[in-house]
Amino acid sequence: MAEPERTTERRLRPAPLLFEPSEAAADPEHFFDLESMEDPRELLSRATELTLAFRAATDRAIEYQAMAAAQLADPRRFDRLTPGDIGERAGWTEDYAKKMIEFGRDLLRGAR
C-alpha cells in the first residue's frame, strides 16, 4: 500500500460526519438524509462533502492503525508481536504488516 500523501488538502476539515439516530440507521435506505434531498445540486454538494469526510476519516484511521502496529512490534516491549501476528489481528498479509509497522514508526518519529 502506498503511504498516504501529506498535503495541505488533507489538513482541511471536511464536513463533519454526523451520527445518525438509531431509528434512521435501522432503515437500509437511509444514508445521512441524502435520500430525502430533491435538489440535485444540494444532493451533489452534500454527497461530495460526505465523500471527502469519509476519505479523510479513512486516512486518519490508517495512520492510527500504522502507529498501533509499530507500537505492538516495538522490540522494547516484552509482549511485542511479530509482523505475522499483527497482520493476523488486522486482516493483513505479513508483508503489508511490515510496511504498516515501518509507516507507523515514521509517523511516531514525526509525532515526537
Side-chain angles (χ1 to χ4, degrees):
M1 177 188 124
E3 293 179 12
E5 291 182 23
R6 292 186 175 267
T7 65
T8 54
E9 284 181 35
R10 196 169 154 272
R11 299 277 183 231
L12 297 175
R13 292 282 184 211
L17 294 177
L18 303 175
F19 290 97
E20 297 187 286
S22 58
E23 56 275 357
D27 179 3
E29 296 300 314
H30 184 82
F31 187 72
F32 291 91
D33 209 28
L34 295 179
E35 71 287 342
S36 67
M37 294 182 175
E38 295 187 20
D39 178 2
R41 288 179 186 93
E42 181 184 357
L43 177 60
L44 179 61
S45 177
R46 182 61 181 147
T48 301
E49 288 174 344
L50 286 169
T51 298
L52 295 173
F54 282 119
R55 285 181 187 155
T58 298
D59 289 346
R60 291 285 310 269
I62 289 169
E63 288 178 354
Y64 281 106
Q65 280 183 309
M67 288 187 291
Q71 290 169 340
L72 289 170
D74 188 336
R76 296 172 295 189
R77 290 177 62 111
F78 76 93
D79 62 344
R80 80 179 180 130
L81 298 177
T82 66
D85 292 335
I86 293 169
E88 187 176 319
R89 287 177 182 230
W92 303 331
T93 65
E94 186 173 344
D95 286 341
Y96 185 77
K98 289 176 184 176
K99 290 177 183 179
M100 287 295 278
I101 291 166
E102 284 306 312
F103 179 45
R105 287 179 178 152
D106 290 344
L107 289 171
L108 290 170
R109 275 191 286 271
R112 293 181 182 178

